[in-house]
């Protein structure tokens, strides 16, 4: 036995079959808003972690440089640079290194650290120029230095 199906019942069944274009657009807008809020926060944290890594590496270099100075009597000059922490410079009799376990790494942004001795801010200056590779800057582009 079959029952007659009203036109209204067919329309209701079809209406519940999928999402309307308006519903899909609302969901897309909500996802876009969430991505717009979350993505900048994520990338800001990534930039902060790179600065923290650079700061930690500069501290480790500072400890190695201090040990070098205790052994040799002075910090390596600008020409000798940080490579003096891994291999003995010529004419350095009291060198007892290596003072670092591995070669001097690049900063978190893929550039070499800048080392000057004597420095303008102390016995030596050790600097990473940040994300932009230029002196100064703010946020992720700010310099990370030893002073």
């Amino acid at each position: 036995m079959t029952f007659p199906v009203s036109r209204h019942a067919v329309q209701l069944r079809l209406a519940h079959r999928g999402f309307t274009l308006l519903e899909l657009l609302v969901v897309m807008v909500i996802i876009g808003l969430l991505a717009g809020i979350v993505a900048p926060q994520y990338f800001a944290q990534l930039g902060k972690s790179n600065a923290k890594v650079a700061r930690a590496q500069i501290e480790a270099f500072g400890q190695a440089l201090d040990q070098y100075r205790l052994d040799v009597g002075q910090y390596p000059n600008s020409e000798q640079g940080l490579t003096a922490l891994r291999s003995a410079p010529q004419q350095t009799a009291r060198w007892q290194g290596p003072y670092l376990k591995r070669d001097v790494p690049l900063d978190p942004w893929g550039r070499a650290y800048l080392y000057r001795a004597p420095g303008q801010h102390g016995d030596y200056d050790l600097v990473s120029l940040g994300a932009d590779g230029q002196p100064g800057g703010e946020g992720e582009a700010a310099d990370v230095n030893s002073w």
Side-chain angles (χ1 to χ4, degrees):
M1 173 178 203
T2 60
F3 296 101
V5 179
S6 73
R7 191 168 153 223
H8 180 67
V10 171
Q11 287 176 339
L12 281 175
R13 203 174 315 146
L14 290 176
H16 287 86
R17 206 179 213 177
F19 298 106
T20 66
L21 181 59
L22 182 61
E23 290 170 327
L24 290 174
L25 287 175
V26 168
V27 170
M28 295 296 283
V29 167
I30 291 171
I31 290 172
L33 288 172
L34 288 175
I37 293 170
V38 172
Q41 296 294 327
Y42 171 76
F43 289 114
Q45 291 301 319
L46 182 64
K48 288 178 186 176
S49 66
N50 282 343
K52 287 179 183 179
V53 168
R55 200 168 292 113
Q57 286 178 333
I58 286 175
E59 277 187 36
F61 296 150
Q63 292 172 355
L65 286 163
D66 290 341
Q67 186 61 47
Y68 179 99
R69 185 185 58 113
L70 288 173
D71 291 346
V72 175
Q74 64 187 23
Y75 290 105
N77 61 35
S78 296
E79 185 179 302
Q80 294 167 330
L82 295 175
T83 58
L85 299 174
R86 285 287 297 159
S87 58
Q90 292 184 359
Q91 321 284 311
T92 307
R94 298 186 335 218
W95 189 87
Q96 296 178 17
Y99 299 95
L100 293 173
K101 293 180 181 179
R102 296 180 187 94
D103 288 337
V104 178
L106 298 175
D107 71 7
W109 298 279
R111 289 183 288 279
Y113 286 95
L114 303 178
Y115 174 77
R116 289 182 294 264
Q120 296 175 342
H121 302 279
D123 293 326
Y124 64 86
D125 293 345
L126 188 54
V127 182
S128 168
L129 295 178
D132 64 354
Q134 302 296 319
E138 295 182 14
E140 189 178 344
D143 298 348
V144 180
N145 50 50
S146 60
W147 59 90

